[in-house]
Amino acid sequence: MSGVAVIGVGMIPFGKYPGKTISDLAWPAVKAAVADAGIEPRRIQAAYCGTVFSGMMAGQRILARIGLSGIPITNVENACSSSSTALRQAVLAIRSGEIEVALVIGVEKLTKFGGGTLPLEEEDWEVRQGMVMPALYAMRATRYMHDFGLTKEQLALVSVKNRKNGAANPDAQMREPVTVEQVLGSRPIADPFTLLQCCPTGDGAAAIVLCASSVAQQVRSDPIQVRASDLTSGRYTPGYRDMTIPEITVRGAKEAFEEAGIGPEDVDVAEVHDAFSIAELLYYEAFGFCGRGEAGPFIESGATQIGGKIAVNPSGGLLAKGHPIGATGAAQVVEIVRQLRGECGARQQPGAKVGVSHATGGGIAGFDHGACAIHIFSR
Amino acid sequence: MSGVAVIGVGMIPFGKYPGKTISDLAWPAVKAAVADAGIEPRRIQAAYCGTVFSGMMAGQRILARIGLSGIPITNVENACSSSSTALRQAVLAIRSGEIEVALVIGVEKLTKFGGGTLPLEEEDWEVRQGMVMPALYAMRATRYMHDFGLTKEQLALVSVKNRKNGAANPDAQMREPVTVEQVLGSRPIADPFTLLQCCPTGDGAAAIVLCASSVAQQVRSDPIQVRASDLTSGRYTPGYRDMTIPEITVRGAKEAFEEAGIGPEDVDVAEVHDAFSIAELLYYEAFGFCGRGEAGPFIESGATQIGGKIAVNPSGGLLAKGHPIGATGAAQVVEIVRQLRGECGARQQPGAKVGVSHATGGGIAGFDHGACAIHIFSR
């Protein structure tokens, strides 16, 4: 089974682009990734496009636009994990020996909905009953605060850290740093969440060029190795479930660490799915970056700041970089690759050697029918 | 690289099910495929769901419903090739060595749109100009009739053959045989097409269980081998293009035959993408089942009837079995597998050993940004 490496990444700054089409958004990201890889576009043998709301044949439309056509193109949808699932398909295709070089695209245009809740599925009965994502995560936050004594101030620190990181990231949608007071004083959304504890809506695109490790070594001196590529789905569990334990991430992280042959203590930098402030704290524990119930003191200690034990969401995460859902997973990988190459300037985690990307989403917050994709990279 | 075999198939009769959800449609097909495979559901290690209009996380919702959860589930969209592209992802995953047993689902509910044209993409400027699919294929038919002297009666024979086959298929949406006179006398749609030369709209689901060949041999005595799994996309070609040559299928067929190490003369049964009557004739030539310009006399000779040299669309094809787009590719494979096992009763192609499935679609009828998936199977 061939090793797989990332040789090129690119993205556009996340934001609101109501006048642009899906292709308008994606082609600059693809061009940047191909240029970064330093290979002839014709060496790309297959493409995988992750998106949720881009309609039929998004990948084909994007690549026809830039003359990359004729190759097998597959569009992949897995809610917030769409483009990280697309990455996994590319990894499997390379491991199968069928192809050597692949392109992954993540793209989404949420401004086309004009704000508010995203379109509902016919079967989303939880959402119809009011169980929208902010409400669900607010319940998890409330329970966690009750069980472990997490304070509102500790919770707000997630937004403060990620907005600080986003301020140093030219690709981030929200680039103003904020204080704990500003976070807690912003408009209430679903108690305990205020506006600044919820990720913004927006548009974006990101792209990744990856290849068999044998090819990567010929192309550039610093390929980033894919050490693990894991996808899992939620399990239906009747009866009591502890909503402060994101089971799907716990299981996916365990599988990914096993595949990579490393543990959480080896990770220098992580992009985790902080759609709401509490989410990042739950994922610290799910990955084993800290112990159960310790996430509050852990963030307060500065351990997850850039320069700390493990920099979490140095890009600004979903809270600051933004969350155009189909683009999110690929953009996380863009950041991890740049961190492992040491290209991140003011937001660089010093000496980063091992990085993790984590995208999760879907129905009932990933419990029953969610999808969680985790990748581990090393330089 | 492991060989791959199909060990179970299932589908529901295609038709109009306005009261059913995506899960309602799909779970009986999945249950049938798993029962047909004769394996424990827990042996399935990954699932791929092909659909276009089922919204977020269709595969996860379907499999949560029947207790098949926790495994990696990937939703795939490639217009009319969605579930055949999903099949290809499953094949690659098995060939990579990552998994041994996979499930493929194809599902679509078109009745939710209440008839008429399917939702348009923002960038579908051809369609906005009136270049809807029936119009486009009507132009191709008109050109082909001009160039090669195809008669309206020969064109109508495609519908007559496929409706005859559909009458013998309990899973077909249209089960009444029709005559040439009835075809030509039905309501005009886009000259030369009458209503009976256009596939119906509807709902449906189909499922496939496949696995590494080494596992297949332990499970059942008659696994069907996947000899080729090919996906390609359209090429942007400025200037003149001959619209009677479906370039994407020509190229895909060539690649697939090379992979399988056989030629068109070896094929006993084929399910090709007959969305309109002319399409089937163009695909005869694209696959090399007959020579250029010979499709009219070829169908007239009875060569593509059941019992002929090569039975084409013994299921009834899209024209009679129906075309719930995300389900179509998987349903073609259901038919080919049943034909190669000799299970098709009144519509059985005698002694069928090698079969082909072919799903193609997307923008500008597959020219610039279409997708075409071709699989070759043998018993």
mmCIF file of all heavy atoms in Angstrom, chain A residues 21 23 55-57 60-61 69-71 73-75 77-78 95 98 121 123 232-234 251, chain B residues 21 23 55-57 60-61 69-71 73-75 77-78 89 95 98 121 123 232-234 251:
data_model
loop_
_atom_site.group_PDB
_atom_site.id
_atom_site.type_symbol
_atom_site.label_atom_id
_atom_site.label_comp_id
_atom_site.label_asym_id
_atom_site.label_seq_id
_atom_site.Cartn_x
_atom_site.Cartn_y
_atom_site.Cartn_z
ATOM 1 N N THR A 21 -20.134 32.740 -8.449
ATOM 2 C CA THR A 21 -20.632 31.373 -8.600
ATOM 3 C C THR A 21 -19.673 30.417 -7.883
ATOM 4 O O THR A 21 -18.576 30.807 -7.451
ATOM 5 C CB THR A 21 -20.697 30.965 -10.079
ATOM 6 O OG1 THR A 21 -19.350 30.916 -10.589
ATOM 7 C CG2 THR A 21 -21.513 31.962 -10.905
ATOM 8 N N SER A 23 -17.915 28.133 -9.267
ATOM 9 C CA SER A 23 -16.655 28.076 -10.022
ATOM 10 C C SER A 23 -15.793 29.301 -9.744
ATOM 11 O O SER A 23 -14.574 29.186 -9.602
ATOM 12 C CB SER A 23 -16.926 27.982 -11.522
ATOM 13 O OG SER A 23 -17.657 26.841 -11.817
ATOM 14 N N GLY A 55 -25.156 21.942 -5.933
ATOM 15 C CA GLY A 55 -25.916 21.395 -7.057
ATOM 16 C C GLY A 55 -25.131 20.334 -7.804
ATOM 17 O O GLY A 55 -24.071 19.891 -7.370
ATOM 18 N N MET A 56 -25.679 19.941 -8.955
ATOM 19 C CA MET A 56 -25.106 18.831 -9.710
ATOM 20 C C MET A 56 -23.735 19.155 -10.264
ATOM 21 O O MET A 56 -23.498 20.254 -10.757
ATOM 22 C CB MET A 56 -26.025 18.498 -10.895
ATOM 23 C CG MET A 56 -27.081 17.483 -10.544
ATOM 24 S SD MET A 56 -27.805 16.731 -12.029
ATOM 25 C CE MET A 56 -29.001 17.969 -12.472
ATOM 26 N N MET A 57 -22.814 18.183 -10.169
ATOM 27 C CA MET A 57 -21.561 18.199 -10.917
ATOM 28 C C MET A 57 -20.713 19.437 -10.628
ATOM 29 O O MET A 57 -20.119 20.023 -11.541
ATOM 30 C CB MET A 57 -21.848 18.139 -12.421
ATOM 31 C CG MET A 57 -22.825 17.043 -12.792
ATOM 32 S SD MET A 57 -22.067 15.424 -12.735
ATOM 33 C CE MET A 57 -21.532 15.318 -14.416
ATOM 34 N N GLN A 60 -17.045 18.998 -11.778
ATOM 35 C CA GLN A 60 -16.887 19.046 -13.233
ATOM 36 C C GLN A 60 -16.999 20.485 -13.737
ATOM 37 O O GLN A 60 -16.250 20.897 -14.633
ATOM 38 C CB GLN A 60 -17.966 18.166 -13.901
ATOM 39 C CG GLN A 60 -17.695 16.661 -13.810
ATOM 40 C CD GLN A 60 -18.179 16.031 -12.505
ATOM 41 O OE1 GLN A 60 -18.530 16.725 -11.545
ATOM 42 N NE2 GLN A 60 -18.189 14.717 -12.449
ATOM 43 N N ARG A 61 -17.940 21.251 -13.174
ATOM 44 C CA ARG A 61 -18.103 22.638 -13.621
ATOM 45 C C ARG A 61 -16.867 23.472 -13.295
ATOM 46 O O ARG A 61 -16.403 24.276 -14.101
ATOM 47 C CB ARG A 61 -19.359 23.246 -12.969
ATOM 48 C CG ARG A 61 -20.658 22.783 -13.635
ATOM 49 C CD ARG A 61 -21.868 23.473 -13.026
ATOM 50 N NE ARG A 61 -22.316 22.814 -11.816
ATOM 51 C CZ ARG A 61 -22.689 23.415 -10.693
ATOM 52 N NH1 ARG A 61 -22.627 24.732 -10.606
ATOM 53 N NH2 ARG A 61 -23.096 22.723 -9.659
ATOM 54 N N SER A 69 -9.961 18.762 -17.480
ATOM 55 C CA SER A 69 -11.135 17.924 -17.729
ATOM 56 C C SER A 69 -10.710 16.595 -18.319
ATOM 57 O O SER A 69 -9.539 16.355 -18.575
ATOM 58 C CB SER A 69 -12.105 18.653 -18.655
ATOM 59 O OG SER A 69 -11.460 19.031 -19.852
ATOM 60 N N GLY A 70 -11.674 15.728 -18.497
ATOM 61 C CA GLY A 70 -11.385 14.398 -19.018
ATOM 62 C C GLY A 70 -11.040 13.397 -17.937
ATOM 63 O O GLY A 70 -11.158 12.194 -18.145
ATOM 64 N N ILE A 71 -10.615 13.866 -16.766
ATOM 65 C CA ILE A 71 -10.225 12.950 -15.692
ATOM 66 C C ILE A 71 -11.452 12.508 -14.895
ATOM 67 O O ILE A 71 -12.505 13.137 -14.968
ATOM 68 C CB ILE A 71 -9.193 13.603 -14.743
ATOM 69 C CG1 ILE A 71 -9.779 14.876 -14.096
ATOM 70 C CG2 ILE A 71 -7.912 13.934 -15.503
ATOM 71 C CD1 ILE A 71 -8.884 15.497 -13.037
ATOM 72 N N ILE A 73 -13.871 12.605 -12.062
ATOM 73 C CA ILE A 73 -14.202 13.617 -11.050
ATOM 74 C C ILE A 73 -15.386 13.090 -10.245
ATOM 75 O O ILE A 73 -16.372 12.648 -10.823
ATOM 76 C CB ILE A 73 -14.568 14.961 -11.708
ATOM 77 C CG1 ILE A 73 -13.422 15.445 -12.613
ATOM 78 C CG2 ILE A 73 -14.906 16.009 -10.661
ATOM 79 C CD1 ILE A 73 -13.767 16.671 -13.455
ATOM 80 N N THR A 74 -15.264 13.130 -8.942
ATOM 81 C CA THR A 74 -16.311 12.612 -8.057
ATOM 82 C C THR A 74 -16.708 13.684 -7.061
ATOM 83 O O THR A 74 -15.839 14.247 -6.389
ATOM 84 C CB THR A 74 -15.795 11.369 -7.298
ATOM 85 O OG1 THR A 74 -15.392 10.384 -8.255
ATOM 86 C CG2 THR A 74 -16.864 10.793 -6.393
ATOM 87 N N ASN A 75 -17.989 13.966 -6.968
ATOM 88 C CA ASN A 75 -18.478 14.910 -5.979
ATOM 89 C C ASN A 75 -18.901 14.161 -4.732
ATOM 90 O O ASN A 75 -19.587 13.141 -4.831
ATOM 91 C CB ASN A 75 -19.647 15.709 -6.554
ATOM 92 C CG ASN A 75 -19.208 16.508 -7.756
ATOM 93 O OD1 ASN A 75 -18.475 17.479 -7.624
ATOM 94 N ND2 ASN A 75 -19.620 16.081 -8.945
ATOM 95 N N GLU A 77 -20.493 14.329 -0.709
ATOM 96 C CA GLU A 77 -21.273 15.104 0.267
ATOM 97 C C GLU A 77 -21.294 14.360 1.587
ATOM 98 O O GLU A 77 -21.705 13.201 1.639
ATOM 99 C CB GLU A 77 -22.697 15.318 -0.239
ATOM 100 C CG GLU A 77 -23.535 16.257 0.613
ATOM 101 C CD GLU A 77 -24.119 15.624 1.853
ATOM 102 O OE1 GLU A 77 -24.648 14.506 1.756
ATOM 103 O OE2 GLU A 77 -24.015 16.219 2.939
ATOM 104 N N ASN A 78 -20.825 14.985 2.628
ATOM 105 C CA ASN A 78 -20.930 14.430 3.975
ATOM 106 C C ASN A 78 -21.108 15.565 4.977
ATOM 107 O O ASN A 78 -20.407 15.642 5.986
ATOM 108 C CB ASN A 78 -19.691 13.584 4.316
ATOM 109 C CG ASN A 78 -20.001 12.086 4.342
ATOM 110 O OD1 ASN A 78 -21.136 11.676 4.145
ATOM 111 N ND2 ASN A 78 -19.003 11.272 4.586
ATOM 112 N N ARG A 95 -3.894 4.889 -2.651
ATOM 113 C CA ARG A 95 -3.470 3.639 -2.005
ATOM 114 C C ARG A 95 -3.839 2.415 -2.833
ATOM 115 O O ARG A 95 -3.178 1.385 -2.757
ATOM 116 C CB ARG A 95 -4.117 3.524 -0.620
ATOM 117 C CG ARG A 95 -3.514 4.451 0.416
ATOM 118 C CD ARG A 95 -4.200 4.242 1.759
ATOM 119 N NE ARG A 95 -3.653 5.133 2.786
ATOM 120 C CZ ARG A 95 -4.195 5.309 3.983
ATOM 121 N NH1 ARG A 95 -5.310 4.662 4.303
ATOM 122 N NH2 ARG A 95 -3.636 6.126 4.857
ATOM 123 N N GLU A 98 -4.459 2.813 -8.306
ATOM 124 C CA GLU A 98 -5.159 3.215 -9.532
ATOM 125 C C GLU A 98 -4.594 4.527 -10.077
ATOM 126 O O GLU A 98 -4.476 4.709 -11.285
ATOM 127 C CB GLU A 98 -6.644 3.398 -9.200
ATOM 128 C CG GLU A 98 -7.541 3.498 -10.386
ATOM 129 C CD GLU A 98 -8.208 2.159 -10.668
ATOM 130 O OE1 GLU A 98 -7.784 1.129 -10.086
ATOM 131 O OE2 GLU A 98 -9.147 2.153 -11.441
ATOM 132 N N GLU A 121 -33.973 18.878 5.631
ATOM 133 C CA GLU A 121 -34.318 17.621 4.975
ATOM 134 C C GLU A 121 -35.707 17.204 5.447
ATOM 135 O O GLU A 121 -36.118 17.496 6.564
ATOM 136 C CB GLU A 121 -33.315 16.521 5.355
ATOM 137 C CG GLU A 121 -31.864 16.865 5.120
ATOM 138 C CD GLU A 121 -31.608 17.463 3.761
ATOM 139 O OE1 GLU A 121 -32.291 17.077 2.813
ATOM 140 O OE2 GLU A 121 -30.734 18.337 3.650
ATOM 141 N N GLU A 123 -36.601 14.458 6.443
ATOM 142 C CA GLU A 123 -36.572 13.564 7.598
ATOM 143 C C GLU A 123 -35.943 14.190 8.839
ATOM 144 O O GLU A 123 -35.745 13.505 9.831
ATOM 145 C CB GLU A 123 -35.816 12.274 7.224
ATOM 146 C CG GLU A 123 -36.543 11.505 6.140
ATOM 147 C CD GLU A 123 -35.699 10.391 5.543
ATOM 148 O OE1 GLU A 123 -34.643 10.692 4.970
ATOM 149 O OE2 GLU A 123 -36.085 9.237 5.651
ATOM 150 N N THR A 232 -15.754 7.984 10.002
ATOM 151 C CA THR A 232 -16.678 7.125 10.728
ATOM 152 C C THR A 232 -18.043 7.796 10.762
ATOM 153 O O THR A 232 -18.187 8.958 10.415
ATOM 154 C CB THR A 232 -16.153 6.789 12.137
ATOM 155 O OG1 THR A 232 -16.993 5.797 12.716
ATOM 156 C CG2 THR A 232 -16.099 8.005 13.024
ATOM 157 N N SER A 233 -19.054 7.017 11.146
ATOM 158 C CA SER A 233 -20.407 7.582 11.222
ATOM 159 C C SER A 233 -20.980 7.307 12.601
ATOM 160 O O SER A 233 -20.474 6.478 13.364
ATOM 161 C CB SER A 233 -21.306 6.970 10.144
ATOM 162 O OG SER A 233 -21.422 5.581 10.309
ATOM 163 N N GLY A 234 -22.062 8.040 12.920
ATOM 164 C CA GLY A 234 -22.684 7.897 14.235
ATOM 165 C C GLY A 234 -23.333 6.536 14.405
ATOM 166 O O GLY A 234 -23.614 5.829 13.442
ATOM 167 N N ARG A 251 -14.247 7.801 18.877
ATOM 168 C CA ARG A 251 -13.968 6.584 18.123
ATOM 169 C C ARG A 251 -13.047 6.865 16.932
ATOM 170 O O ARG A 251 -12.080 6.143 16.682
ATOM 171 C CB ARG A 251 -15.293 5.978 17.658
ATOM 172 C CG ARG A 251 -15.216 4.618 17.065
ATOM 173 C CD ARG A 251 -16.534 3.837 17.253
ATOM 174 N NE ARG A 251 -17.715 4.663 17.092
ATOM 175 C CZ ARG A 251 -18.335 4.919 15.920
ATOM 176 N NH1 ARG A 251 -17.862 4.395 14.817
ATOM 177 N NH2 ARG A 251 -19.423 5.667 15.866
ATOM 178 N N THR B 21 -40.262 8.725 2.153
ATOM 179 C CA THR B 21 -39.001 9.454 2.310
ATOM 180 C C THR B 21 -37.894 8.678 1.603
ATOM 181 O O THR B 21 -38.084 7.530 1.179
ATOM 182 C CB THR B 21 -38.624 9.599 3.791
ATOM 183 O OG1 THR B 21 -38.353 8.296 4.312
ATOM 184 C CG2 THR B 21 -39.744 10.241 4.604
ATOM 185 N N SER B 23 -35.342 7.375 3.010
ATOM 186 C CA SER B 23 -35.065 6.144 3.772
ATOM 187 C C SER B 23 -36.113 5.077 3.496
ATOM 188 O O SER B 23 -35.787 3.896 3.366
ATOM 189 C CB SER B 23 -35.019 6.438 5.274
ATOM 190 O OG SER B 23 -34.039 7.371 5.566
ATOM 191 N N GLY B 55 -30.520 15.569 -0.349
ATOM 192 C CA GLY B 55 -30.129 16.403 0.780
ATOM 193 C C GLY B 55 -28.952 15.825 1.532
ATOM 194 O O GLY B 55 -28.320 14.868 1.099
ATOM 195 N N MET B 56 -28.670 16.458 2.693
ATOM 196 C CA MET B 56 -27.472 16.094 3.448
ATOM 197 C C MET B 56 -27.549 14.685 4.009
ATOM 198 O O MET B 56 -28.566 14.270 4.528
ATOM 199 C CB MET B 56 -27.316 17.069 4.624
ATOM 200 C CG MET B 56 -26.482 18.272 4.288
ATOM 201 S SD MET B 56 -25.909 19.124 5.779
ATOM 202 C CE MET B 56 -27.346 20.085 6.194
ATOM 203 N N MET B 57 -26.429 13.965 3.916
ATOM 204 C CA MET B 57 -26.225 12.735 4.665
ATOM 205 C C MET B 57 -27.283 11.667 4.392
ATOM 206 O O MET B 57 -27.754 10.985 5.295
ATOM 207 C CB MET B 57 -26.230 13.052 6.170
ATOM 208 C CG MET B 57 -25.312 14.191 6.556
ATOM 209 S SD MET B 57 -23.591 13.706 6.519
ATOM 210 C CE MET B 57 -23.420 13.221 8.232
ATOM 211 N N GLN B 60 -26.205 8.144 5.578
ATOM 212 C CA GLN B 60 -26.236 7.991 7.039
ATOM 213 C C GLN B 60 -27.675 7.847 7.535
ATOM 214 O O GLN B 60 -27.960 7.041 8.432
ATOM 215 C CB GLN B 60 -25.564 9.199 7.706
ATOM 216 C CG GLN B 60 -24.039 9.221 7.611
ATOM 217 C CD GLN B 60 -23.501 9.790 6.302
ATOM 218 O OE1 GLN B 60 -24.229 10.030 5.345
ATOM 219 N NE2 GLN B 60 -22.200 10.007 6.245
ATOM 220 N N ARG B 61 -28.597 8.626 6.957
ATOM 221 C CA ARG B 61 -29.996 8.543 7.391
ATOM 222 C C ARG B 61 -30.597 7.184 7.054
ATOM 223 O O ARG B 61 -31.298 6.582 7.867
ATOM 224 C CB ARG B 61 -30.815 9.668 6.731
ATOM 225 C CG ARG B 61 -30.584 11.021 7.393
ATOM 226 C CD ARG B 61 -31.476 12.097 6.778
ATOM 227 N NE ARG B 61 -30.891 12.645 5.569
ATOM 228 C CZ ARG B 61 -31.555 12.896 4.445
ATOM 229 N NH1 ARG B 61 -32.845 12.633 4.374
ATOM 230 N NH2 ARG B 61 -30.946 13.394 3.405
ATOM 231 N N SER B 69 -24.738 1.229 11.310
ATOM 232 C CA SER B 69 -24.134 2.534 11.565
ATOM 233 C C SER B 69 -22.750 2.352 12.166
ATOM 234 O O SER B 69 -22.308 1.243 12.427
ATOM 235 C CB SER B 69 -25.030 3.362 12.474
ATOM 236 O OG SER B 69 -25.294 2.668 13.671
ATOM 237 N N GLY B 70 -22.062 3.471 12.323
ATOM 238 C CA GLY B 70 -20.710 3.423 12.872
ATOM 239 C C GLY B 70 -19.651 3.260 11.804
ATOM 240 O O GLY B 70 -18.494 3.584 12.017
ATOM 241 N N ILE B 71 -20.025 2.752 10.637
ATOM 242 C CA ILE B 71 -19.054 2.529 9.562
ATOM 243 C C ILE B 71 -18.840 3.812 8.756
ATOM 244 O O ILE B 71 -19.644 4.728 8.822
ATOM 245 C CB ILE B 71 -19.512 1.388 8.619
ATOM 246 C CG1 ILE B 71 -20.854 1.736 7.952
ATOM 247 C CG2 ILE B 71 -19.617 0.084 9.375
ATOM 248 C CD1 ILE B 71 -21.302 0.739 6.896
ATOM 249 N N ILE B 73 -19.345 6.151 5.906
ATOM 250 C CA ILE B 73 -20.394 6.300 4.896
ATOM 251 C C ILE B 73 -20.083 7.553 4.084
ATOM 252 O O ILE B 73 -19.818 8.611 4.656
ATOM 253 C CB ILE B 73 -21.784 6.423 5.550
ATOM 254 C CG1 ILE B 73 -22.060 5.221 6.448
ATOM 255 C CG2 ILE B 73 -22.876 6.576 4.480
ATOM 256 C CD1 ILE B 73 -23.332 5.340 7.287
ATOM 257 N N THR B 74 -20.085 7.430 2.778
ATOM 258 C CA THR B 74 -19.756 8.544 1.893
ATOM 259 C C THR B 74 -20.879 8.733 0.886
ATOM 260 O O THR B 74 -21.270 7.779 0.215
ATOM 261 C CB THR B 74 -18.440 8.251 1.142
ATOM 262 O OG1 THR B 74 -17.407 8.027 2.108
ATOM 263 C CG2 THR B 74 -18.050 9.413 0.238
ATOM 264 N N ASN B 75 -21.385 9.950 0.778
ATOM 265 C CA ASN B 75 -22.401 10.261 -0.221
ATOM 266 C C ASN B 75 -21.727 10.815 -1.462
ATOM 267 O O ASN B 75 -20.844 11.665 -1.364
ATOM 268 C CB ASN B 75 -23.394 11.269 0.355
ATOM 269 C CG ASN B 75 -24.108 10.693 1.559
ATOM 270 O OD1 ASN B 75 -24.927 9.795 1.426
ATOM 271 N ND2 ASN B 75 -23.746 11.174 2.751
ATOM 272 N N GLU B 77 -22.158 12.320 -5.499
ATOM 273 C CA GLU B 77 -23.052 12.943 -6.487
ATOM 274 C C GLU B 77 -22.312 13.085 -7.804
ATOM 275 O O GLU B 77 -21.237 13.674 -7.854
ATOM 276 C CB GLU B 77 -23.514 14.318 -5.984
ATOM 277 C CG GLU B 77 -24.587 14.960 -6.838
ATOM 278 C CD GLU B 77 -24.059 15.627 -8.101
ATOM 279 O OE1 GLU B 77 -23.051 16.353 -8.019
ATOM 280 O OE2 GLU B 77 -24.640 15.410 -9.177
ATOM 281 N N ASN B 78 -22.853 12.517 -8.851
ATOM 282 C CA ASN B 78 -22.317 12.704 -10.196
ATOM 283 C C ASN B 78 -23.455 12.668 -11.211
ATOM 284 O O ASN B 78 -23.389 11.955 -12.212
ATOM 285 C CB ASN B 78 -21.261 11.632 -10.523
ATOM 286 C CG ASN B 78 -19.846 12.209 -10.550
ATOM 287 O OD1 ASN B 78 -19.652 13.415 -10.377
ATOM 288 N ND2 ASN B 78 -18.854 11.375 -10.764
ATOM 289 N N GLN B 89 -16.145 4.086 -6.133
ATOM 290 C CA GLN B 89 -15.452 4.409 -4.880
ATOM 291 C C GLN B 89 -15.318 3.156 -4.014
ATOM 292 O O GLN B 89 -14.293 2.939 -3.370
ATOM 293 C CB GLN B 89 -16.202 5.503 -4.097
ATOM 294 C CG GLN B 89 -16.423 6.797 -4.855
ATOM 295 C CD GLN B 89 -15.197 7.293 -5.577
ATOM 296 O OE1 GLN B 89 -14.144 7.450 -4.971
ATOM 297 N NE2 GLN B 89 -15.297 7.519 -6.872
ATOM 298 N N ARG B 95 -9.907 -2.320 -3.400
ATOM 299 C CA ARG B 95 -8.596 -2.509 -4.029
ATOM 300 C C ARG B 95 -7.474 -1.922 -3.197
ATOM 301 O O ARG B 95 -6.335 -2.380 -3.257
ATOM 302 C CB ARG B 95 -8.586 -1.855 -5.420
ATOM 303 C CG ARG B 95 -9.376 -2.622 -6.463
ATOM 304 C CD ARG B 95 -9.286 -1.926 -7.810
ATOM 305 N NE ARG B 95 -10.042 -2.634 -8.838
ATOM 306 C CZ ARG B 95 -10.318 -2.127 -10.037
ATOM 307 N NH1 ARG B 95 -9.895 -0.911 -10.363
ATOM 308 N NH2 ARG B 95 -11.003 -2.824 -10.916
ATOM 309 N N GLU B 98 -8.009 -1.348 2.264
ATOM 310 C CA GLU B 98 -8.542 -0.724 3.490
ATOM 311 C C GLU B 98 -9.738 -1.506 4.042
ATOM 312 O O GLU B 98 -9.892 -1.643 5.248
ATOM 313 C CB GLU B 98 -8.994 0.704 3.157
ATOM 314 C CG GLU B 98 -9.256 1.578 4.345
ATOM 315 C CD GLU B 98 -8.067 2.472 4.616
ATOM 316 O OE1 GLU B 98 -6.966 2.233 4.058
ATOM 317 O OE2 GLU B 98 -8.233 3.414 5.375
ATOM 318 N N GLU B 121 -28.994 24.722 -11.959
ATOM 319 C CA GLU B 121 -27.828 25.299 -11.295
ATOM 320 C C GLU B 121 -27.657 26.735 -11.773
ATOM 321 O O GLU B 121 -28.008 27.078 -12.897
ATOM 322 C CB GLU B 121 -26.570 24.508 -11.657
ATOM 323 C CG GLU B 121 -26.659 23.027 -11.415
ATOM 324 C CD GLU B 121 -27.209 22.679 -10.064
ATOM 325 O OE1 GLU B 121 -26.973 23.433 -9.115
ATOM 326 O OE2 GLU B 121 -27.907 21.666 -9.961
ATOM 327 N N GLU B 123 -25.109 28.077 -12.762
ATOM 328 C CA GLU B 123 -24.215 28.201 -13.904
ATOM 329 C C GLU B 123 -24.710 27.464 -15.146
ATOM 330 O O GLU B 123 -23.998 27.383 -16.133
ATOM 331 C CB GLU B 123 -22.823 27.693 -13.520
ATOM 332 C CG GLU B 123 -22.194 28.557 -12.449
ATOM 333 C CD GLU B 123 -20.961 27.918 -11.826
ATOM 334 O OE1 GLU B 123 -21.102 26.840 -11.223
ATOM 335 O OE2 GLU B 123 -19.885 28.485 -11.939
ATOM 336 N N THR B 232 -15.011 8.714 -16.141
ATOM 337 C CA THR B 232 -14.322 9.786 -16.858
ATOM 338 C C THR B 232 -15.225 11.014 -16.907
ATOM 339 O O THR B 232 -16.394 10.949 -16.543
ATOM 340 C CB THR B 232 -13.884 9.323 -18.270
ATOM 341 O OG1 THR B 232 -13.068 10.329 -18.862
ATOM 342 C CG2 THR B 232 -15.082 9.034 -19.151
ATOM 343 N N SER B 233 -14.650 12.129 -17.298
ATOM 344 C CA SER B 233 -15.444 13.359 -17.379
ATOM 345 C C SER B 233 -15.266 13.967 -18.756
ATOM 346 O O SER B 233 -14.355 13.598 -19.509
ATOM 347 C CB SER B 233 -15.010 14.356 -16.300
ATOM 348 O OG SER B 233 -13.660 14.723 -16.465
ATOM 349 N N GLY B 234 -16.167 14.890 -19.094
ATOM 350 C CA GLY B 234 -16.135 15.528 -20.405
ATOM 351 C C GLY B 234 -14.911 16.409 -20.574
ATOM 352 O O GLY B 234 -14.258 16.795 -19.613
ATOM 353 N N ARG B 251 -14.532 7.212 -25.001
ATOM 354 C CA ARG B 251 -13.284 7.146 -24.243
ATOM 355 C C ARG B 251 -13.402 6.202 -23.054
ATOM 356 O O ARG B 251 -12.518 5.372 -22.792
ATOM 357 C CB ARG B 251 -12.920 8.565 -23.789
ATOM 358 C CG ARG B 251 -11.584 8.731 -23.169
ATOM 359 C CD ARG B 251 -11.043 10.167 -23.364
ATOM 360 N NE ARG B 251 -12.060 11.191 -23.242
ATOM 361 C CZ ARG B 251 -12.427 11.773 -22.087
ATOM 362 N NH1 ARG B 251 -11.833 11.424 -20.976
ATOM 363 N NH2 ARG B 251 -13.364 12.704 -22.055
#
